[in-house]
Amino acid sequence: MAIDVVKADGMYITDRTGKQWLDLIGGISVCNTGHRHPKIVEAVKQQLDAYMHVLVYGEMIESPQVEYANWLTNHLHSSLNSVYFTNSGTEATEGALKLAKRVTGRTQLAGFNLSYHGSTQGSLSVMGDEYWRNAFRPLLPDVLHLEYNSFDSINAISTQTACVIVETVQAERGVYASTGEWLLALRRKCDSVGSLLIMDEIQTGFGRTGTLWNHTAMNVFPDILLLGKALGGGMPLGAFIADRALMAALTDRPVLGHITTFGGHPVSCAAGLAAAKLLTASNWISEVQDKAALFVTLLRNSGIKAVRSAGLLLSVEFADETIAKKIIDRCIEKGVLVDWFLFAPQCMRIAPPLIISDNEIKKACDVIIQACDEIK
Ligand code: PMP
């Protein structure tokens, strides 16, 4: 895009020439509270005045980590009561896969076609798209890649399987949601064979789909939950969260089963906690479904093949990748920042900060429809 950014505030990003973009991607589901919310900036500044990095994660009691872990566990199912903070989403995936291997003593991992869990080698191994994996082989052995939302594919999960990693919505496929029935069947299968169920809510967490966590809306709970992106309120942060009894498997033989220098950086935790408090104190999450419905209503055009929405995670599908790219580029020229998806280049990504107003949605949709008409 080559946007030479000098400022980002609320819904807008400004470049060196003074041109402004209405941001419909929010740093890829990171900036749920908009850019630089004053409360988050204040929390960051306060933490900078106290201390930044002091020692590798876990060696000292750092109150921003403790307070944020408390907030998270207070807002999660009682079985998700132990938080391991990481630098990123993919590091959370790595930690969770390692934890599942230690807890079960098994090595087989299962993931789903067209799922994305990060770009490091363990995450790549369970990622569900051969085009993105192939150049980096050999990857981890003994990985099952199953069909998403297929009841039949669940049969392949067995007493050999350490864990099953699943997104509650496959974002990079172009927004395909799982059904509650299927997630429940997956949960039951994992229970029956003793596999851990890892849910990746890195993109869907923190209100994106209209509830604080997407899995609670379906009433199906993971053994390990992955968080990232909006977790840090605009600062880098990830986490894998499990029951203390499971997490204990990382404390013995070797004593430090997962090591990270910067994981849970105090400035990131301070920012994340401020953002999380803002989300739960505001109406932003409860407004998500209405705002999503407004997008869906307004995004009607003969060039648009489909619009899929999981709350304010939306995918607008065009005839093919070439047309999608031209329309995306035209929107960006016109000051509306949109993007594509890794496994769905024929689709436009819309995942704005949750603070977006109805007027901004209308303006954005006008621009997208104009771009569709111009590119036909
Ligand atoms: N899981 C999902 C569902 C994601 O969308 C992403 C990032 N796009 C990741 C994991 C990896 O996060 P990170 O880029 O912070 O490593």
Side-chain angles (χ1 to χ4, degrees):
M1 291 180 195
I3 293 172
D4 188 1
V5 57
V6 291
K7 189 94 176 157
D9 270 310
M11 283 300 305
Y12 294 90
I13 294 177
T14 310
D15 83 355
R16 201 164 294 283
T17 68
K19 179 168 175 174
Q20 277 204 330
W21 283 265
L22 177 60
D23 182 5
L24 288 200
I25 45 181
I28 315 283
S29 301
V30 168
C31 311
N32 288 13
T33 52
H35 294 278
R36 295 178 59 256
H37 190 287
K39 286 253 163 58
I40 301 178
V41 173
E42 187 190 309
V44 166
K45 284 182 176 165
Q46 266 183 21
Q47 187 54 42
L48 289 176
D49 283 342
Y51 56 91
M52 295 162 67
H53 178 79
V54 283
L55 200 57
V56 290
Y57 181 44
E59 287 292 316
M60 290 184 177
I61 299 170
E62 299 182 29
S63 60
Q65 297 168 348
V66 177
E67 283 170 30
Y68 200 13
N70 276 332
W71 187 95
L72 289 165
T73 54
N74 286 336
H75 287 82
L76 283 164
H77 189 266
S78 58
S79 63
L80 297 168
N81 52 43
S82 181
V83 180
Y84 193 115
F85 285 118
T86 60
N87 295 292
S88 61
T90 199
E91 193 195 355
T93 305
E94 298 290 341
L97 297 177
K98 287 168 68 185
L99 178 58
K101 286 164 94 174
R102 279 312 314 273
V103 167
T104 60
R106 306 173 187 173
T107 53
Q108 185 181 75
L109 311 171
F112 292 93
N113 293 329
L114 301 171
S115 282
Y116 185 81
H117 303 290
S119 196
T120 52
Q121 302 209 39
S123 304
L124 261 186
S125 305
V126 291
M127 175 211 265
D129 191 293
E130 187 56 20
Y131 167 78
W132 295 90
R133 283 190 305 250
N134 196 281
F136 305 100
R137 290 194 178 281
L139 293 167
L140 289 180
D142 204 9
V143 177
L144 301 175
H145 290 106
L146 309 174
E147 254 337 282
Y148 194 74
N149 268 343
S150 151
F151 287 90
D152 281 351
S153 77
I154 291 179
N155 293 328
I157 300 161
S158 73
T159 51
Q160 308 289 304
T161 316
C163 61
V164 181
I165 182 166
V166 66
E167 288 172 276
T168 57
V169 176
Q170 287 191 306
E172 297 307 320
R173 181 182 173 187
V175 184
Y176 281 83
S178 62
T179 64
E181 296 77 37
W182 181 73
L183 264 194
L184 185 61
L186 193 57
R187 171 73 274 175
R188 291 198 172 131
K189 178 70 183 188
C190 287
D191 288 341
S192 72
V193 296
S195 296
L196 298 191
L197 182 60
I198 303 173
M199 278 186 200
D200 180 340
E201 287 235 40
I202 289 171
Q203 206 155 155
T204 51
F206 293 94
R208 171 79 30 212
T209 64
T211 44
L212 186 57
W213 322 113
N214 192 35
H215 69 273
T216 55
M218 288 181 275
N219 209 25
V220 182
F221 298 90
D223 298 296
I224 310 176
L225 178 67
L226 308 183
L227 296 177
K229 295 202 183 273
L231 175 71
M235 296 291 286
L237 192 63
F240 58 103
I241 305 178
D243 192 280
R244 196 174 286 272
L246 299 184
M247 203 66 100
L250 292 180
T251 63
D252 190 30
R253 289 171 297 131
V255 285
L256 299 169
H258 188 72
I259 302 175
T260 180
T261 297
F262 289 124
H265 193 287
V267 180
S268 297
C269 285
L273 178 58
K277 285 181 174 169
L278 278 169
L279 278 175
T280 45
S282 67
N283 292 327
W284 294 325
I285 296 178
S286 58
E287 290 166 0
V288 161
Q289 292 305 354
D290 285 347
K291 290 177 182 174
L294 185 57
F295 268 112
V296 174
T297 307
L298 297 175
L299 288 174
R300 294 219 172 112
N301 184 272
S302 58
I304 296 176
K305 300 279 163 229
V307 180
R308 285 179 295 279
S309 148
L312 281 175
L313 179 58
L314 295 112
S315 168
V316 184
E317 184 160 350
F318 299 102
D320 59 43
E321 174 178 351
T322 313
I323 291 185
K325 178 154 185 0
K326 283 187 188 159
I327 293 174
I328 290 168
D329 288 348
R330 185 63 60 90
C331 289
I332 296 171
E333 264 168 49
K334 289 173 178 285
V336 170
L337 200 61
V338 286
D339 198 14
W340 53 293
F341 294 95
L342 280 183
F343 309 145
Q346 77 284 13
C347 297
M348 174 192 282
R349 179 197 305 267
I350 299 181
L354 309 187
I355 63 169
I356 192 168
S357 69
D358 286 0
N359 258 343
E360 286 161 338
I361 294 174
K362 285 176 194 152
K363 268 193 235 159
C365 290
D366 278 352
V367 168
I368 296 169
I369 296 298
Q370 269 171 32
C372 290
D373 287 337
E374 288 167 17
I375 298 302
K376 267 176 196 167

